[in-house]
mmCIF file of all heavy atoms in Angstrom:
data_model
loop_
_atom_site.group_PDB
_atom_site.id
_atom_site.type_symbol
_atom_site.label_atom_id
_atom_site.label_comp_id
_atom_site.label_asym_id
_atom_site.label_seq_id
_atom_site.Cartn_x
_atom_site.Cartn_y
_atom_site.Cartn_z
ATOM 1 N N VAL A 29 -7.489 1.790 15.618
ATOM 2 C CA VAL A 29 -6.621 0.962 16.449
ATOM 3 C C VAL A 29 -7.097 -0.488 16.486
ATOM 4 O O VAL A 29 -6.295 -1.418 16.361
ATOM 5 C CB VAL A 29 -6.555 1.539 17.885
ATOM 6 C CG1 VAL A 29 -5.731 0.661 18.787
ATOM 7 C CG2 VAL A 29 -6.010 2.947 17.856
ATOM 8 N N ILE A 30 -8.398 -0.705 16.636
ATOM 9 C CA ILE A 30 -8.938 -2.059 16.779
ATOM 10 C C ILE A 30 -9.259 -2.625 15.396
ATOM 11 O O ILE A 30 -10.019 -2.030 14.638
ATOM 12 C CB ILE A 30 -10.225 -2.055 17.652
ATOM 13 C CG1 ILE A 30 -9.894 -1.530 19.046
ATOM 14 C CG2 ILE A 30 -10.833 -3.437 17.728
ATOM 15 C CD1 ILE A 30 -11.097 -1.324 19.921
ATOM 16 N N PRO A 31 -8.673 -3.781 15.036
ATOM 17 C CA PRO A 31 -8.941 -4.372 13.723
ATOM 18 C C PRO A 31 -10.350 -4.929 13.644
ATOM 19 O O PRO A 31 -10.918 -5.368 14.639
ATOM 20 C CB PRO A 31 -7.898 -5.498 13.615
ATOM 21 C CG PRO A 31 -7.544 -5.832 15.021
ATOM 22 C CD PRO A 31 -7.734 -4.594 15.813
ATOM 23 N N THR A 32 -10.942 -4.913 12.451
ATOM 24 C CA THR A 32 -12.289 -5.442 12.242
ATOM 25 C C THR A 32 -12.213 -6.602 11.266
ATOM 26 O O THR A 32 -11.240 -6.766 10.538
ATOM 27 C CB THR A 32 -13.219 -4.362 11.660
ATOM 28 O OG1 THR A 32 -12.688 -3.947 10.414
ATOM 29 C CG2 THR A 32 -13.332 -3.169 12.581
ATOM 30 N N ASP A 33 -13.259 -7.407 11.245
ATOM 31 C CA ASP A 33 -13.326 -8.559 10.338
ATOM 32 C C ASP A 33 -14.090 -8.208 9.067
ATOM 33 O O ASP A 33 -14.392 -9.094 8.269
ATOM 34 C CB ASP A 33 -14.027 -9.731 11.053
ATOM 35 C CG ASP A 33 -13.155 -10.303 12.152
ATOM 36 O OD1 ASP A 33 -11.925 -10.129 12.056
ATOM 37 O OD2 ASP A 33 -13.694 -10.918 13.089
ATOM 38 N N ASN A 34 -14.420 -6.958 8.880
ATOM 39 C CA ASN A 34 -15.215 -6.544 7.738
ATOM 40 C C ASN A 34 -14.429 -6.797 6.446
ATOM 41 O O ASN A 34 -13.271 -6.414 6.315
ATOM 42 C CB ASN A 34 -15.536 -5.048 7.901
ATOM 43 C CG ASN A 34 -16.619 -4.601 6.942
ATOM 44 O OD1 ASN A 34 -16.980 -5.329 6.018
ATOM 45 N ND2 ASN A 34 -17.116 -3.401 7.155
ATOM 46 N N GLU A 35 -15.068 -7.446 5.478
ATOM 47 C CA GLU A 35 -14.427 -7.800 4.204
ATOM 48 C C GLU A 35 -14.050 -6.552 3.406
ATOM 49 O O GLU A 35 -12.991 -6.509 2.782
ATOM 50 C CB GLU A 35 -15.375 -8.690 3.382
ATOM 51 C CG GLU A 35 -14.747 -9.316 2.163
ATOM 52 C CD GLU A 35 -13.626 -10.287 2.507
ATOM 53 O OE1 GLU A 35 -13.666 -10.944 3.553
ATOM 54 O OE2 GLU A 35 -12.688 -10.354 1.691
ATOM 55 N N GLU A 36 -14.903 -5.545 3.431
ATOM 56 C CA GLU A 36 -14.604 -4.294 2.714
ATOM 57 C C GLU A 36 -13.357 -3.625 3.276
ATOM 58 O O GLU A 36 -12.523 -3.129 2.526
ATOM 59 C CB GLU A 36 -15.799 -3.330 2.812
ATOM 60 C CG GLU A 36 -16.954 -3.699 1.925
ATOM 61 C CD GLU A 36 -18.094 -2.697 2.031
ATOM 62 O OE1 GLU A 36 -17.810 -1.509 2.320
ATOM 63 O OE2 GLU A 36 -19.239 -3.088 1.817
ATOM 64 N N ASP A 37 -13.246 -3.636 4.602
ATOM 65 C CA ASP A 37 -12.063 -3.050 5.231
ATOM 66 C C ASP A 37 -10.802 -3.802 4.812
ATOM 67 O O ASP A 37 -9.764 -3.204 4.570
ATOM 68 C CB ASP A 37 -12.196 -3.063 6.753
ATOM 69 C CG ASP A 37 -13.244 -2.066 7.248
ATOM 70 O OD1 ASP A 37 -13.612 -1.174 6.455
ATOM 71 O OD2 ASP A 37 -13.668 -2.189 8.404
ATOM 72 N N ARG A 38 -10.906 -5.110 4.724
ATOM 73 C CA ARG A 38 -9.757 -5.911 4.297
ATOM 74 C C ARG A 38 -9.361 -5.576 2.860
ATOM 75 O O ARG A 38 -8.190 -5.436 2.554
ATOM 76 C CB ARG A 38 -10.067 -7.397 4.403
ATOM 77 C CG ARG A 38 -9.995 -7.916 5.808
ATOM 78 C CD ARG A 38 -10.101 -9.397 5.840
ATOM 79 N NE ARG A 38 -10.108 -9.857 7.209
ATOM 80 C CZ ARG A 38 -10.364 -11.071 7.578
ATOM 81 N NH1 ARG A 38 -10.651 -11.989 6.662
ATOM 82 N NH2 ARG A 38 -10.336 -11.422 8.835
ATOM 83 N N LYS A 39 -10.378 -5.457 1.995
ATOM 84 C CA LYS A 39 -10.087 -5.110 0.599
ATOM 85 C C LYS A 39 -9.440 -3.733 0.507
ATOM 86 O O LYS A 39 -8.473 -3.534 -0.232
ATOM 87 C CB LYS A 39 -11.363 -5.153 -0.246
ATOM 88 C CG LYS A 39 -11.813 -6.540 -0.597
ATOM 89 C CD LYS A 39 -13.044 -6.497 -1.473
ATOM 90 C CE LYS A 39 -13.532 -7.912 -1.790
ATOM 91 N NZ LYS A 39 -14.740 -7.905 -2.580
ATOM 92 N N GLN A 40 -9.996 -2.783 1.248
ATOM 93 C CA GLN A 40 -9.426 -1.438 1.253
ATOM 94 C C GLN A 40 -7.985 -1.458 1.777
ATOM 95 O O GLN A 40 -7.110 -0.784 1.235
ATOM 96 C CB GLN A 40 -10.274 -0.499 2.114
ATOM 97 C CG GLN A 40 -11.574 -0.073 1.468
ATOM 98 C CD GLN A 40 -12.381 0.846 2.381
ATOM 99 O OE1 GLN A 40 -12.047 1.027 3.543
ATOM 100 N NE2 GLN A 40 -13.457 1.407 1.834
ATOM 101 N N LEU A 41 -7.784 -2.255 2.818
ATOM 102 C CA LEU A 41 -6.449 -2.369 3.383
ATOM 103 C C LEU A 41 -5.479 -2.988 2.372
ATOM 104 O O LEU A 41 -4.353 -2.510 2.206
ATOM 105 C CB LEU A 41 -6.492 -3.204 4.665
ATOM 106 C CG LEU A 41 -5.234 -3.243 5.510
ATOM 107 C CD1 LEU A 41 -4.853 -1.843 5.960
ATOM 108 C CD2 LEU A 41 -5.419 -4.155 6.702
ATOM 109 N N GLN A 42 -5.930 -4.040 1.676
ATOM 110 C CA GLN A 42 -5.080 -4.675 0.660
ATOM 111 C C GLN A 42 -4.784 -3.700 -0.493
ATOM 112 O O GLN A 42 -3.646 -3.623 -0.977
ATOM 113 C CB GLN A 42 -5.736 -5.941 0.120
ATOM 114 C CG GLN A 42 -5.656 -7.116 1.082
ATOM 115 C CD GLN A 42 -6.381 -8.341 0.557
ATOM 116 O OE1 GLN A 42 -7.165 -8.253 -0.376
ATOM 117 N NE2 GLN A 42 -6.120 -9.480 1.189
ATOM 118 N N GLU A 43 -5.823 -2.955 -0.922
ATOM 119 C CA GLU A 43 -5.613 -1.961 -1.981
ATOM 120 C C GLU A 43 -4.628 -0.887 -1.521
ATOM 121 O O GLU A 43 -3.759 -0.453 -2.282
ATOM 122 C CB GLU A 43 -6.945 -1.315 -2.375
ATOM 123 C CG GLU A 43 -7.853 -2.236 -3.158
ATOM 124 C CD GLU A 43 -9.230 -1.642 -3.402
ATOM 125 O OE1 GLU A 43 -9.456 -0.462 -3.026
ATOM 126 O OE2 GLU A 43 -10.076 -2.349 -3.959
ATOM 127 N N ARG A 44 -4.766 -0.496 -0.288
ATOM 128 C CA ARG A 44 -3.849 0.510 0.269
ATOM 129 C C ARG A 44 -2.414 -0.028 0.302
ATOM 130 O O ARG A 44 -1.472 0.687 -0.033
ATOM 131 C CB ARG A 44 -4.317 0.889 1.665
ATOM 132 C CG ARG A 44 -3.427 1.861 2.371
ATOM 133 C CD ARG A 44 -4.141 3.151 2.606
ATOM 134 N NE ARG A 44 -3.315 3.986 3.475
ATOM 135 C CZ ARG A 44 -2.862 5.141 3.124
ATOM 136 N NH1 ARG A 44 -3.163 5.629 1.953
ATOM 137 N NH2 ARG A 44 -2.122 5.840 3.935
ATOM 138 N N ILE A 45 -2.283 -1.290 0.713
ATOM 139 C CA ILE A 45 -0.955 -1.911 0.757
ATOM 140 C C ILE A 45 -0.367 -1.975 -0.649
ATOM 141 O O ILE A 45 0.807 -1.647 -0.862
ATOM 142 C CB ILE A 45 -1.017 -3.320 1.403
ATOM 143 C CG1 ILE A 45 -1.298 -3.197 2.904
ATOM 144 C CG2 ILE A 45 0.259 -4.106 1.153
ATOM 145 C CD1 ILE A 45 -1.598 -4.500 3.590
ATOM 146 N N ILE A 46 -1.180 -2.377 -1.620
ATOM 147 C CA ILE A 46 -0.707 -2.457 -3.008
ATOM 148 C C ILE A 46 -0.309 -1.074 -3.507
ATOM 149 O O ILE A 46 0.735 -0.905 -4.144
ATOM 150 C CB ILE A 46 -1.795 -3.087 -3.917
ATOM 151 C CG1 ILE A 46 -1.969 -4.568 -3.586
ATOM 152 C CG2 ILE A 46 -1.459 -2.896 -5.387
ATOM 153 C CD1 ILE A 46 -3.176 -5.224 -4.220
ATOM 154 N N SER A 47 -1.142 -0.081 -3.191
ATOM 155 C CA SER A 47 -0.842 1.295 -3.598
ATOM 156 C C SER A 47 0.461 1.783 -2.961
ATOM 157 O O SER A 47 1.303 2.391 -3.624
ATOM 158 C CB SER A 47 -2.000 2.207 -3.202
ATOM 159 O OG SER A 47 -1.654 3.549 -3.348
ATOM 160 N N LEU A 48 0.628 1.502 -1.681
ATOM 161 C CA LEU A 48 1.852 1.914 -0.991
ATOM 162 C C LEU A 48 3.076 1.191 -1.554
ATOM 163 O O LEU A 48 4.140 1.798 -1.706
ATOM 164 C CB LEU A 48 1.734 1.664 0.514
ATOM 165 C CG LEU A 48 0.788 2.608 1.268
ATOM 166 C CD1 LEU A 48 0.613 2.154 2.714
ATOM 167 C CD2 LEU A 48 1.301 4.026 1.230
ATOM 168 N N ASN A 49 2.926 -0.109 -1.867
ATOM 169 C CA ASN A 49 4.039 -0.858 -2.464
ATOM 170 C C ASN A 49 4.417 -0.267 -3.824
ATOM 171 O O ASN A 49 5.601 -0.124 -4.135
ATOM 172 C CB ASN A 49 3.700 -2.340 -2.614
ATOM 173 C CG ASN A 49 3.827 -3.085 -1.295
ATOM 174 O OD1 ASN A 49 4.523 -2.645 -0.392
ATOM 175 N ND2 ASN A 49 3.149 -4.217 -1.181
ATOM 176 N N ALA A 50 3.392 0.064 -4.628
ATOM 177 C CA ALA A 50 3.662 0.657 -5.939
ATOM 178 C C ALA A 50 4.352 2.007 -5.774
ATOM 179 O O ALA A 50 5.299 2.330 -6.497
ATOM 180 C CB ALA A 50 2.359 0.817 -6.726
ATOM 181 N N SER A 51 3.877 2.792 -4.805
ATOM 182 C CA SER A 51 4.488 4.091 -4.542
ATOM 183 C C SER A 51 5.934 3.917 -4.086
ATOM 184 O O SER A 51 6.823 4.664 -4.510
ATOM 185 C CB SER A 51 3.682 4.833 -3.475
ATOM 186 O OG SER A 51 4.299 6.030 -3.136
ATOM 187 N N MET A 52 6.175 2.924 -3.236
ATOM 188 C CA MET A 52 7.534 2.648 -2.771
ATOM 189 C C MET A 52 8.444 2.244 -3.933
ATOM 190 O O MET A 52 9.580 2.710 -4.030
ATOM 191 C CB MET A 52 7.523 1.522 -1.725
ATOM 192 C CG MET A 52 7.761 2.022 -0.318
ATOM 193 S SD MET A 52 7.633 0.768 0.968
ATOM 194 C CE MET A 52 8.370 -0.660 0.314
ATOM 195 N N GLU A 53 7.940 1.377 -4.812
ATOM 196 C CA GLU A 53 8.741 0.949 -5.966
ATOM 197 C C GLU A 53 9.037 2.136 -6.874
ATOM 198 O O GLU A 53 10.147 2.262 -7.402
ATOM 199 C CB GLU A 53 8.013 -0.153 -6.737
ATOM 200 C CG GLU A 53 8.002 -1.479 -6.010
ATOM 201 C CD GLU A 53 7.165 -2.533 -6.717
ATOM 202 O OE1 GLU A 53 6.680 -2.276 -7.835
ATOM 203 O OE2 GLU A 53 6.998 -3.620 -6.136
ATOM 204 N N ASP A 54 8.037 3.008 -7.050
ATOM 205 C CA ASP A 54 8.233 4.202 -7.862
ATOM 206 C C ASP A 54 9.310 5.101 -7.243
ATOM 207 O O ASP A 54 10.194 5.602 -7.943
ATOM 208 C CB ASP A 54 6.904 4.960 -7.982
ATOM 209 C CG ASP A 54 6.997 6.137 -8.936
ATOM 210 O OD1 ASP A 54 7.652 6.001 -9.984
ATOM 211 O OD2 ASP A 54 6.405 7.195 -8.636
ATOM 212 N N GLN A 55 9.239 5.288 -5.928
ATOM 213 C CA GLN A 55 10.237 6.101 -5.232
ATOM 214 C C GLN A 55 11.629 5.470 -5.334
ATOM 215 O O GLN A 55 12.616 6.170 -5.530
ATOM 216 C CB GLN A 55 9.859 6.281 -3.749
ATOM 217 C CG GLN A 55 8.613 7.105 -3.503
ATOM 218 C CD GLN A 55 8.744 8.526 -3.987
ATOM 219 O OE1 GLN A 55 9.808 9.111 -3.911
ATOM 220 N NE2 GLN A 55 7.670 9.081 -4.524
ATOM 221 N N GLU A 56 11.686 4.136 -5.212
ATOM 222 C CA GLU A 56 12.978 3.445 -5.332
ATOM 223 C C GLU A 56 13.544 3.614 -6.738
ATOM 224 O O GLU A 56 14.756 3.788 -6.907
ATOM 225 C CB GLU A 56 12.827 1.968 -4.983
ATOM 226 C CG GLU A 56 12.650 1.721 -3.489
ATOM 227 C CD GLU A 56 12.328 0.278 -3.164
ATOM 228 O OE1 GLU A 56 12.197 -0.542 -4.092
ATOM 229 O OE2 GLU A 56 12.196 -0.023 -1.965
ATOM 230 N N ALA A 57 12.668 3.573 -7.749
ATOM 231 C CA ALA A 57 13.125 3.773 -9.130
ATOM 232 C C ALA A 57 13.660 5.199 -9.304
ATOM 233 O O ALA A 57 14.697 5.403 -9.945
ATOM 234 C CB ALA A 57 11.983 3.514 -10.109
ATOM 235 N N LYS A 58 12.960 6.168 -8.719
ATOM 236 C CA LYS A 58 13.425 7.553 -8.798
ATOM 237 C C LYS A 58 14.769 7.710 -8.094
ATOM 238 O O LYS A 58 15.661 8.395 -8.591
ATOM 239 C CB LYS A 58 12.394 8.508 -8.187
ATOM 240 C CG LYS A 58 11.183 8.738 -9.054
ATOM 241 C CD LYS A 58 10.216 9.691 -8.391
ATOM 242 C CE LYS A 58 8.969 9.878 -9.248
ATOM 243 N NZ LYS A 58 7.971 10.726 -8.590
ATOM 244 N N ILE A 59 14.903 7.069 -6.940
ATOM 245 C CA ILE A 59 16.164 7.136 -6.191
ATOM 246 C C ILE A 59 17.280 6.521 -7.020
ATOM 247 O O ILE A 59 18.382 7.075 -7.106
ATOM 248 C CB ILE A 59 16.024 6.427 -4.824
ATOM 249 C CG1 ILE A 59 15.146 7.261 -3.891
ATOM 250 C CG2 ILE A 59 17.385 6.158 -4.192
ATOM 251 C CD1 ILE A 59 14.752 6.566 -2.611
ATOM 252 N N ALA A 60 17.005 5.366 -7.649
ATOM 253 C CA ALA A 60 18.019 4.713 -8.488
ATOM 254 C C ALA A 60 18.405 5.615 -9.662
ATOM 255 O O ALA A 60 19.583 5.719 -10.016
ATOM 256 C CB ALA A 60 17.493 3.372 -8.986
ATOM 257 N N GLN A 61 17.402 6.261 -10.266
ATOM 258 C CA GLN A 61 17.673 7.161 -11.387
ATOM 259 C C GLN A 61 18.524 8.356 -10.926
ATOM 260 O O GLN A 61 19.494 8.725 -11.588
ATOM 261 C CB GLN A 61 16.362 7.661 -11.982
ATOM 262 C CG GLN A 61 16.544 8.598 -13.164
ATOM 263 C CD GLN A 61 15.219 9.153 -13.683
ATOM 264 O OE1 GLN A 61 14.168 8.863 -13.145
ATOM 265 N NE2 GLN A 61 15.302 9.961 -14.716
ATOM 266 N N LEU A 62 18.164 8.934 -9.785
ATOM 267 C CA LEU A 62 18.936 10.062 -9.255
ATOM 268 C C LEU A 62 20.365 9.636 -8.906
ATOM 269 O O LEU A 62 21.313 10.371 -9.171
ATOM 270 C CB LEU A 62 18.244 10.648 -8.018
ATOM 271 C CG LEU A 62 16.958 11.424 -8.285
ATOM 272 C CD1 LEU A 62 16.281 11.794 -6.977
ATOM 273 C CD2 LEU A 62 17.226 12.669 -9.097
ATOM 274 N N GLN A 63 20.504 8.425 -8.345
ATOM 275 C CA GLN A 63 21.834 7.920 -8.020
ATOM 276 C C GLN A 63 22.652 7.737 -9.296
ATOM 277 O O GLN A 63 23.834 8.067 -9.333
ATOM 278 C CB GLN A 63 21.727 6.585 -7.251
ATOM 279 C CG GLN A 63 23.058 6.074 -6.753
ATOM 280 C CD GLN A 63 23.723 7.012 -5.769
ATOM 281 O OE1 GLN A 63 23.081 7.521 -4.864
ATOM 282 N NE2 GLN A 63 25.003 7.256 -5.944
#
């Protein structure tokens, strides 16, 4: 719940965001293909 200033946590968070964005784009591509 409480955010930290740790650089590693920020990197992990950014990697997670990038991973989630890639997963979202992949899902959107699958949805477009199914449509």
Side-chain angles (χ1 to χ4, degrees):
V29 177
I30 299 173
T32 61
D33 290 336
N34 193 348
E35 190 64 32
E36 285 182 29
D37 289 343
R38 282 189 183 171
K39 283 182 182 178
Q40 285 179 351
L41 189 60
Q42 284 177 345
E43 288 173 4
R44 177 115 171 119
I45 290 171
I46 291 169
S47 169
L48 288 173
N49 282 338
S51 176
M52 254 175 40
E53 288 174 6
D54 186 40
Q55 293 297 325
E56 286 173 358
K58 285 180 182 176
I59 288 170
Q61 180 184 2
L62 288 173
Q63 186 62 45

